[in-house]
Amino acid sequence: IGLNEALKRLYVVDREKHRVVVFGLDGTRLSEIGERGTADGKFNIPLDIAIGADGKLYVLDAGNFRVQIFTPEGVFVSKFGSVGDRIGMFANPKAIALDSDGHIYVTDAAFSNFQIFDAEGNVLLFVGQLGSKPGNLHLPAGISIDEKDRIYVADQLNGRIQVFEYLKEQQPVRPQ
């Protein structure tokens, strides 16, 4: 579920019917985005959604191994990702989140990690590997990022939540 407070819209992923349903905050059904398929704007098992600060929708289209980006009105903008076992690809994507800088985080249960992408879908970093030590993951399922950019990952088979800190680039302090 994604909430756009400015537009007073709630976006609900309907994985069974391969679409995103848009509701008003009063529960009124406003529209639908997508249908089953592989073309741009269509879905194959969408699992999660995140809403950007600009209102854009980031839909994790798990069965098509990609992230699709839409305007708040549901117009397709772009996509990134593909199936595979290299950095920037997905094998079993589970969840998506955004930080305050607009970076896109996607958990992948097959790789036991999460990958971080910029707004254009370029890989910035991947975090985690299979294991039970701190920083290791085993079937990461959910991801959420709070207002302080702390990253919470549901580490399912390790039975825990791991918290990671996003370290923003600091501007150098110039002597006066």
Side-chain angles (χ1 to χ4, degrees):
I1 294 176
L3 173 65
N4 183 323
E5 291 185 58
L7 293 178
K8 297 181 174 27
R9 292 183 186 162
L10 190 64
Y11 300 88
V12 179
V13 175
D14 182 350
R15 84 176 208 183
E16 299 285 322
K17 294 187 179 172
H18 310 278
R19 64 185 177 186
V20 174
V21 183
V22 185
F23 293 93
L25 295 184
D26 63 357
T28 305
R29 186 186 193 117
L30 302 175
S31 63
E32 295 177 4
I33 302 167
E35 62 183 345
R36 187 168 200 161
T38 58
D40 294 349
K42 295 187 178 189
F43 303 113
N44 184 20
I45 313 173
L47 289 184
D48 201 7
I49 190 168
I51 310 297
D54 58 1
K56 285 184 184 166
L57 314 175
Y58 296 79
V59 181
L60 181 59
D61 186 11
N64 286 323
F65 306 96
R66 65 187 179 188
V67 172
Q68 292 197 69
I69 305 167
F70 297 85
T71 67
E73 295 73 31
V75 177
F76 175 81
V77 174
S78 64
K79 66 184 177 193
F80 67 89
S82 62
V83 65
D85 62 359
R86 291 192 210 123
I87 294 173
M89 297 176 161
F90 304 116
N92 191 3
K94 292 289 187 183
I96 189 168
L98 302 172
D99 67 24
S100 65
D101 286 334
H103 299 126
I104 305 156
Y105 295 65
V106 179
T107 62
D108 197 306
F111 299 144
S112 296
N113 72 9
F114 61 90
Q115 296 184 72
I116 307 170
F117 300 87
D118 67 15
E120 288 76 43
N122 300 305
V123 177
L124 300 174
L125 183 68
F126 69 92
V127 177
Q129 64 182 13
L130 181 62
S132 59
K133 294 178 181 176
N136 293 161
L137 300 165
H138 197 177
L139 197 65
I143 189 165
S144 185
I145 301 174
D146 70 14
E147 67 281 349
K148 293 183 180 177
D149 284 326
R150 287 178 296 224
I151 305 148
Y152 300 84
V153 179
D155 188 7
Q156 192 171 350
L157 290 185
N158 283 324
R160 63 189 179 189
I161 301 290
Q162 291 206 60
V163 183
F164 298 85
E165 184 176 359
Y166 169 49
L167 300 174
K168 294 184 180 208
E169 184 178 338
Q170 300 294 317
Q171 297 297 324
V173 177
R174 301 192 190 285
Q176 304 225 354

